Amino acid sequence: MFTLSEDQQALVQAARTAALTELAATVKEDDEREHFRKDQFQRLGAAGLCGVPTSEDWGGLGLGYVEYALVIEEIAKVAPSYAVSVAVSGLPQVILAQFGNDEQRARWMPGLAAGELLGAFALSEPGSGSDAASLRTTAVREGENYVLNGTKFWITHGGYADIYVVMARTGGPGPKGVSAFLVPGDTPGLSFGKKEEKMGLRASPTVEMILENATIPASNRIGAEGIGFSVAMSALDSGRITIAATALGIAQSAMDCAGRYAVARKQFDQAIIDFQGVGFMLADMAVRIEQARLLTHKAAWLKDNQLPFSPTAAMAKCAATDCAMAVTTDAVQVLGGYGYTREYPIERLMRDAKVMQIVEGTNQVQRVVIARNLKRGWE
Ligand code: CAA
């Protein structure tokens, strides 16, 4: 747990090389232009990075979430938007692995794991964010089909994805009335509205999704009617580990940039890292990153060992994303005026860090998950 095996080290190196080769050259331009390149995502897939925990039977590497977290951290060090793409395209895979049937897995998993297909996850709506169980999109059974109507919001890969896992209401109000569906990107009645103009993570497209009598075969329902909320929650439990790993990559990248600068930059005849005010900032960054990485790897290890991991994943998500926000903010400070310019990547990393405290459940929702779990232990 505290050291990486030779295989894990080789995987980290492969992920680092792929990220630098495929993504580094266009990160700055794509942030400025808010541009996502599906071909770059597909090349990460060709390098084996889009299905790390997916079984080899379904085209993945068949490794664990510890390895998945390591890979995502490496991608995030170079291009956080693509780390999120790998994580989000992983959600349909983790869902199908646990709740899908063989026919659904055979249809979608190999393409998703190879990165040839892009996946997406559609839970949130304009009026349903943290209170996910209040979603209003409906799925009405008509013969051998379901007809979906509603609007989904904040959809990563909206308009780009080949397959969307959509949560829609088939029953009464609340979580028990929700079901999960596979909605292919070319489904008639599926369209896309506003693309959000965001502060950060700007190479990751975030788009409104509109379902107007979108009709899919009943065989595209994932599991039984009424389990959709549990499908979504359990996918997010896993997803939160990948968001933590993305935040770690952001934080590590910012700290390394600030550290190199603090060694090279001289003021008052000495490197600024030798001023305690700067050196201690870097030391505090290292402490926070190490704490968050240990928690993230523990959550992954618990999942890999089929142990309860939901509250630990929530802790890791909180710790790593709060760490990324604090570290990137201090990293800008270490560089002073230079840190505030686009000459260095730190201002972008700081903008990217902010959304990590929001996606896949705000850090306030993570605290709800943690507190409820604590309460159960004390009751
Ligand atoms: N795993 C499996 N099932 C679960 C579960 C879990 N972790 N948590 C809850 N459930 C199921 C249970 O069956 C539960 O029923 P029981 O009480 O009978 O066991 C049922 O769901 C209802 O659970 P709650 O009463 O806890 O539900 P709640 O309405 O109080 O909500 C919440 C809890 C934690 C606040 C939840 O709504 C939540 O996580 N909200 C945040 C949503 C979120 O993360 N959205 C992000 C969307 S994706 C994104 O950001 C971008 C992207 O592109 C991916």
Side-chain angles (χ1 to χ4, degrees), residues 78-122:
V78 178
S81 289
Y82 287 85
V84 168
S85 272
V86 170
V88 169
S89 202
L91 288 175
Q93 296 179 59
V94 74
I95 286 171
L96 289 178
Q98 191 179 348
F99 299 100
N101 58 38
D102 280 347
E103 192 189 326
Q104 294 166 342
R105 286 192 276 255
R107 170 69 187 87
W108 297 108
M109 295 274 269
L112 286 166
E116 287 157 7
L117 301 180
L118 187 63
F121 178 82

Side-chain angles (χ1 to χ4, degrees), residues 127-155:
S128 163
S130 294
D131 183 7
S134 68
L135 65 85
R136 298 170 66 141
T137 294
T138 55
V140 176
R141 180 85 187 232
E142 287 187 6
E144 285 310 298
N145 294 321
Y146 279 96
V147 181
L148 277 68
N149 279 287
T151 302
K152 294 288 180 183
F153 233 42
W154 313 118
I155 307 308

Side-chain angles (χ1 to χ4, degrees), residues 111-289:
L112 286 166
E116 287 157 7
L117 301 180
L118 187 63
F121 178 82
L123 173 67
S124 302
E125 299 184 358
S128 163
S130 294
D131 183 7
S134 68
L135 65 85
R136 298 170 66 141
T137 294
T138 55
V140 176
R141 180 85 187 232
E142 287 187 6
E144 285 310 298
N145 294 321
Y146 279 96
V147 181
L148 277 68
N149 279 287
T151 302
K152 294 288 180 183
F153 233 42
W154 313 118
I155 307 308
T156 303
H157 302 154
Y160 291 84
D162 300 286
I163 187 69
Y164 299 80
V165 173
V166 176
M167 265 50 71
R169 193 163 295 288
T170 49
K176 306 283 187 233
V178 177
S179 302
F181 298 93
L182 287 162
V183 178
D186 58 2
T187 300
L190 172 63
S191 63
F192 295 90
K194 185 169 64 123
K195 180 175 180 238
E196 301 300 334
E197 295 175 351
K198 300 184 309 220
M199 173 196 284
L201 215 68
R202 287 158 59 91
S204 173
T206 305
V207 183
E208 178 186 29
M209 175 181 188
I210 301 151
L211 298 138
E212 285 172 310
N213 292 325
T215 304
I216 52 167
S219 57
N220 280 21
R221 195 186 65 225
I222 302 170
E225 275 200 6
I227 69 157
F229 193 73
S230 286
V231 169
M233 288 300 114
S234 90
L236 287 170
D237 283 341
S238 301
R240 287 163 186 167
I241 298 173
T242 66
I243 297 300
T246 304
L248 285 175
I250 292 171
Q252 185 69 53
S253 187
M255 182 178 80
D256 288 342
C257 183
R260 281 192 294 270
Y261 180 89
V263 168
R265 172 78 170 169
K266 293 208 168 40
Q267 289 290 278
F268 306 101
D269 297 326
Q270 63 174 7
I272 62 169
I273 195 169
D274 293 325
F275 290 104
Q276 208 172 62
V278 174
F280 278 18
M281 277 168 99
L282 288 156
D284 285 342
M285 290 181 204
V287 172
R288 288 196 75 149
I289 292 172

